[in-house]
């Protein structure tokens, strides 16, 4: 029997030729990523070593990445002190892939990793963040873990007790229509699978639509795989992956072009023809509550958010820019833009997107997680409604359980900002 | 063990531990914010007797969402047992790692006030007299549970590797 992409990766990471679905393995980790919650990881890491003779040292400081993104610049004394503790630990342990709050190299972890070439096909990436699934877009097995599990990885360099998961293959066929983007594809899929349809399983994305899609779009799709409950959302590396790694991530080393076997065994195969797809929206309060945009068009929106680890890349900002250029944000609506990294921010500056957003009345914030999870900026008022390009619309997500969050593409968000009501972006594009 | 609260499906980590409290990380400090946006449940937990384990019963997909471990440590701090029809993956794994007792019981029927008896492979609702099967903890994860959580388990491995 052939192997899926994930079986092959886990076989390699455990020094075997073959692993069976359901086998329990302890794969070696290629990269271990944390953000501010490294403060908790450090606490747990120290507990592991408490009273032992073993020196308090991480297994490999070149394979640990720590990126500040959730609350930057710090919103409170507590956060600032945690960030200080993490900086000290980074210094003591010689952790190399550390991105502090800086305008030259800072940003959101799920953009910093790909754009710096930290993630390579064929590897095992773990992160203390559920959207670690993002990195599957580069052909790696990437999944979210908790802080204590990360502390264990820091100590041992491997993840304990991983069951080789089943895979659901998703084939996107047809041609992407105008006004429909990667975000619409993944929302449509989550609506079909439900928010636990892929729980404990891996989604593998394939088909002509994925083959023609840039890595920036693939990252959107893999990012939200977790919203169907998936452990990971993976795409087999191809010529586009190599192009991205060489040209964007400036990575010049070897690339493992790992492919699934033709006779690999899948739990399920889902085919979606995108040719007639309309823009999609996830309505409150679940990401699988997905409707066509026409079903919610016209609802008043008080806050539009464009950015995040899902849709804050240069292509996303371009998509929004093309809708909003020369227009104004509606009077009773706030539009907040969060580029995914300072590299993206600087590119958007050079291309004139930022100036156009500001001219339209948008507020451009520093790269970071911002309002997505309601912990820092852009909280909603009672009874308010947001339209956002982020990835979750759970009750209370944007800092207020008495508010609503609708999710959609950057183009739909920009069109919505212009009218202050949920708007089909194709109306502006005509 | 007494059922003290009943929840529906898709209780997310944002319900269990709202994002705005994420700067609080230490397991000793997280319990106060459990279900902070559901004041009745938050009050019930903070004012209740923690010396005996208490049960919250939920439907499907408990713990969906974020990897934030505070969502587990906050429940551990209240000495809770979570019985649900099923759990989301990262939350489930975090529960194993931190020693939160989670019981996957696909057919569970229970009301607030019911007394439950939880065995290795069954759950008995003493109040209704009905017995349900529970899904056993996967073998892969039992070693962590038996060691007393992932910190203790990792310590064991480190000691073994050191002495090799």
């Amino acid at each position: 029997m052939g192997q899926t992409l994930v079986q092959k990766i886990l076989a390699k990471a455990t020094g075997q030729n073959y692993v069976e679905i359901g086998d329990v393995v302890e794969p070696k980790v290629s990269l271990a990523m944390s953000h501010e919650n490294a403060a908790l990881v450090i606490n747990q890491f120290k507990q592991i070593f408490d009273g032992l003779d073993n020196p308090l040292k991480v297994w490999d400081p070149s394979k640990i990445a720590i990126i500040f993104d959730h609350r930057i610049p710090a919103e409170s004394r507590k956060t600032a002190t945690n960030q200080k503790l993490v900086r000290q630990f980074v210094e003591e342990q010689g952790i190399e892939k550390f991105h502090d709050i800086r305008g030259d190299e800072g940003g959101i972890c799920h953009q910093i990793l790909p754009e710096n070439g930290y993630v390579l096909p064929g590897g095992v990436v773990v992160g203390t963040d559920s959207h670690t699934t993002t990195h599957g877009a580069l052909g790696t097995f990437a999944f979210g873990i908790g802080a204590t599990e990360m502390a264990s990885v820091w100590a041992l360099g491997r993840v304990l007790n991983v069951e080789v998961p089943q895979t659901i293959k998703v084939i996107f066929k047809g041609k992407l229509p105008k006004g429909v983007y990667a975000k619409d594809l993944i929302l449509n899929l989550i609506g079909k699978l439900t928010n636990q349809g892929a729980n404990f399983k891996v989604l593998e994305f394939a088909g002509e639509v994925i083959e023609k899609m840039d890595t920036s779009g693939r990252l959107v799709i893999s990012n939200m795989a977790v919203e169907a409950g998936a452990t990971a959302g993976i795409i087999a590396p191809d010529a586009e992956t190599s192009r991205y790694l060489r040209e964007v991530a400036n990575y010049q080393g070897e690339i493992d072009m790992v492919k699934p076997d033709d006779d690999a065994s899948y739990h399920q195969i889902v085919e979606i023809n995108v040719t007639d797809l309309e823009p999609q929206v996830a309505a409150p309060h679940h990401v699988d509550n997905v409707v066509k945009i026409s079903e919610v068009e016209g609802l008043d929106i008080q806050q539009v958010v464009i950015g995040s680890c899902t849709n804050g890349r240069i292509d996303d900002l371009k998509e929004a820019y093309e809708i909003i250029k020369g227009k104004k944000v509606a009077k009773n609506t706030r539009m907040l833009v969060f580029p995914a990294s300072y590299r993206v921010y600087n590119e958007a500056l050079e291309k004139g997107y930022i100036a156009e957003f500001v001219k339209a009345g948008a507020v451009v914030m520093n790269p970071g997680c911002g309002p997505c999870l309601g912990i820092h900026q852009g909280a909603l008022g009672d009874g308010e409604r947001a339209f956002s390009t982020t990835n979750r619309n759970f009750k209370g997500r944007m800092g207020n359980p008495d508010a609503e969050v609708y999710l959609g593409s950057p183009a739909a968000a920009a069109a919505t900002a212009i009218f202050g009501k949920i708007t089909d972006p194709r109306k502006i594009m005509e | 063990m007494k059922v003290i609260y009943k929840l529906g499906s898709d209780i997310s980590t944002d319900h269990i531990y709202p994002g705005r409290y994420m700067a609080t990380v230490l397991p000793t400090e997280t319990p106060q914010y459990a279900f902070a946006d559901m004041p009745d449940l938050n009050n019930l937990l903070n004012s209740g007797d923690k010396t005996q384990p208490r049960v919250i019963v939920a439907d499907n997909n408990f713990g969906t969402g974020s990897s934030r471990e505070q969502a587990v440590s906050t429940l551990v701090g209240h000495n809770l047992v979570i019985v649900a029809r099923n759990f989301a993956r990262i939350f489930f794994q975090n529960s194993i790692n931190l020693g939160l007792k989670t019981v996957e019981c696909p057919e569970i029927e229970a009301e607030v006030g019911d007394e439950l008896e939880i065995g290795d492979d069954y759950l008995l609702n003493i109040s209704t007299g009905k017995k349900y099967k529970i899904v056993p903890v996967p073998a892969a994860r039992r070693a962590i549970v038996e060691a007393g959580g992932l910190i203790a388990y990792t310590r064991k491995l480190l000691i073994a590797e050191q002495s090799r």
Side-chain angles (χ1 to χ4, degrees):
Chain A
M1 179 60 85
Q3 298 185 86
T4 62
L5 211 43
V6 170
Q7 278 176 281
K8 284 197 173 174
I9 291 171
L10 287 175
K12 187 178 156 195
T14 51
Q16 304 175 77
N17 292 321
Y18 183 88
V19 292
E20 188 67 64
I21 290 165
D23 280 359
V24 177
V25 295
E26 295 187 358
K28 282 193 186 129
V29 167
S30 326
L31 187 77
M33 187 279 297
S34 292
H35 43 72
E36 276 95 330
N37 62 15
L40 179 55
V41 182
I42 292 166
N43 184 68
Q44 305 301 82
F45 183 72
K46 287 181 174 167
Q47 274 192 37
I48 290 173
F49 285 83
D50 188 33
L52 296 187
D53 294 334
N54 308 47
L56 184 82
K57 278 189 79 168
V58 299
W59 104 99
D60 186 345
S62 72
K63 289 184 177 163
I64 294 176
I66 297 179
I67 290 102
F68 286 161
D69 59 9
H70 271 53
R71 291 171 292 269
I72 54 167
E75 90 297 355
S76 67
R77 176 180 181 173
K78 199 167 221 169
T79 294
T81 305
N82 280 343
Q83 289 173 347
K84 183 182 160 189
L85 288 172
V86 174
R87 281 188 199 100
Q88 281 168 354
F89 186 83
V90 162
E91 186 75 26
E92 285 160 17
Q93 297 282 331
I95 289 168
E96 293 168 19
K97 296 177 171 72
F98 174 57
H99 291 251
D100 208 330
I101 305 163
R102 291 179 61 99
D104 52 356
E105 57 172 46
I108 305 176
C109 58
H110 302 311
Q111 174 61 12
I112 293 297
L113 262 52
E115 77 179 21
N116 286 286
Y118 294 167
V119 176
L120 298 172
V124 173
V125 173
V126 290
T128 46
D129 190 279
S130 57
H131 293 104
T132 301
T133 56
T134 308
H135 311 288
L138 291 161
T140 197
F141 179 42
F143 57 101
I145 61 175
T148 303
E149 188 124 42
M150 183 58 83
S152 174
V153 169
W154 281 6
L156 301 168
R158 57 188 199 273
V159 208
L160 301 175
N161 296 344
V162 174
E163 274 182 33
V164 180
Q166 292 182 316
T167 297
I168 298 173
K169 188 164 195 161
V170 182
I171 303 170
F172 288 109
K173 287 183 161 173
K175 190 167 173 279
L176 261 189
K178 190 172 74 172
V180 175
Y181 305 89
K183 182 64 162 282
D184 302 294
L185 301 192
I186 187 64
L187 286 178
N188 182 262
L189 176 71
I190 294 163
K192 290 196 159 91
L193 289 177
T194 79
N195 62 3
Q196 58 168 335
N199 201 12
F200 288 92
K201 299 181 180 71
V202 169
L203 292 173
E204 182 187 317
F205 304 105
E208 56 189 314
V209 181
I210 298 294
E211 285 160 22
K212 287 180 197 144
M213 189 178 279
D214 283 354
T215 298
S216 62
R218 296 177 179 186
L219 289 163
V220 175
I221 290 181
S222 291
N223 174 275
M224 289 193 70
V226 69
E227 305 311 329
T231 303
I234 197 166
I235 296 171
D238 61 4
E240 161 57 19
T241 316
S242 302
R243 180 203 67 82
Y244 180 88
L245 288 171
R246 302 281 188 241
E247 293 176 15
V248 181
N250 199 22
Y251 171 77
Q252 303 308 332
E254 271 180 48
I255 299 174
D256 174 5
M257 298 298 267
V258 59
K259 298 267 184 249
D261 290 327
D262 290 337
D263 58 344
S265 165
Y266 292 97
H267 173 72
Q268 188 186 350
I269 294 178
V270 179
E271 285 194 7
I272 295 181
N273 192 319
V274 306
T275 307
D276 296 321
L277 203 66
E278 268 190 43
Q280 308 280 303
V281 171
H285 292 288
H286 300 289
V287 186
D288 61 355
N289 188 16
V290 176
V291 297
K292 295 173 189 165
I293 198 164
S294 53
E295 293 175 45
V296 289
E297 233 182 326
L299 281 177
D300 286 339
I301 294 293
Q302 285 75 43
Q303 180 163 294
V304 166
V305 177
I306 295 178
S308 83
C309 63
T310 311
N311 277 122
R313 301 189 175 81
I314 195 70
D315 292 348
D316 301 311
L317 299 187
K318 180 173 183 234
E319 194 181 305
Y321 158 82
E322 281 171 354
I323 298 278
I324 208 149
K325 65 180 169 195
K327 301 198 171 62
K328 284 277 183 193
V329 174
K331 188 163 166 278
N332 295 320
T333 304
R334 314 175 289 275
M335 173 169 157
L336 310 180
V337 180
F338 285 79
S341 71
Y342 265 105
R343 183 164 162 193
V344 172
Y345 190 106
N346 286 314
E347 201 174 334
L349 269 177
E350 281 166 25
K351 291 186 167 159
Y353 304 164
I354 301 287
E356 199 62 37
F357 289 141
V358 173
K359 208 156 74 183
V363 175
V364 180
M365 315 289 290
N366 62 291
C369 301
C372 173
L373 63 166
I375 59 179
H376 193 189
Q377 301 149 313
L380 298 172
D382 291 353
E384 284 196 329
R385 205 179 275 138
F387 192 101
S388 177
T389 70
T390 52
N391 44 49
R392 286 197 175 126
N393 60 354
F394 301 157
K395 202 173 174 63
R397 180 75 180 173
M398 255 181 212
N400 188 340
D402 295 318
E404 293 184 337
V405 179
Y406 288 73
L407 305 175
S409 72
T416 296
I418 294 168
F419 293 99
K421 293 171 190 304
I422 296 182
T423 303
D424 188 330
R426 295 174 298 185
K427 292 203 171 130
I428 312 269
M429 298 168 96
E430 275 156 14
Chain B
M1 278 177 241
K2 196 179 222 127
V3 178
I4 59 158
Y5 206 86
K6 233 185 125 171
L7 292 161
S9 285
D10 301 323
I11 298 302
S12 75
T13 50
D14 283 272
H15 288 101
I16 304 166
Y17 196 86
R20 62 185 180 280
Y21 301 113
M22 274 170 70
T24 300
V25 297
L26 296 178
T28 47
E29 295 175 10
T30 56
Q32 58 187 312
Y33 302 123
F35 297 99
D37 286 336
M38 299 171 67
D40 62 329
L41 180 50
N42 178 265
N43 288 338
L44 179 69
L45 295 177
N46 282 331
S47 61
D49 174 15
K50 295 177 198 180
T51 56
Q52 295 299 318
R54 299 170 292 170
V55 181
I56 289 180
V57 172
D59 286 339
N60 291 306
N61 207 20
F62 187 88
T64 185
S66 152
S67 65
R68 69 187 68 155
E69 207 165 89
Q70 291 98 321
V72 173
S73 70
T74 194
L75 303 178
V76 172
H78 286 291
N79 200 7
L80 290 169
V81 173
I82 310 294
V83 179
R85 289 175 185 252
N86 62 46
F87 293 89
R89 182 190 66 89
I90 304 177
F91 180 90
F92 180 74
Q93 186 74 39
N94 285 342
S95 305
I96 301 283
N97 294 342
L98 294 193
L100 172 69
K101 174 97 171 155
T102 50
V103 180
E104 186 175 343
C105 186
E107 310 289 328
I108 180 73
E109 299 276 353
E111 296 303 325
V112 172
D114 286 359
E115 283 287 339
L116 307 182
E117 180 187 309
I118 298 166
D120 283 341
D121 56 359
Y122 71 92
L123 181 151
L124 173 66
N125 186 334
I126 298 166
S127 305
T128 62
K130 284 195 180 149
K131 203 171 180 180
Y132 305 94
K133 277 188 184 150
I134 62 179
V135 179
V137 174
R141 303 190 169 96
R142 217 169 296 143
I144 298 173
V145 175
E146 283 163 8
L150 188 61
I151 287 183
Y153 187 65
T154 304
R155 280 171 68 88
K156 247 172 67 180
L157 293 176
L158 274 180
I159 293 166
E161 282 171 24
Q162 178 87 338
S163 61
R164 215 178 275 157

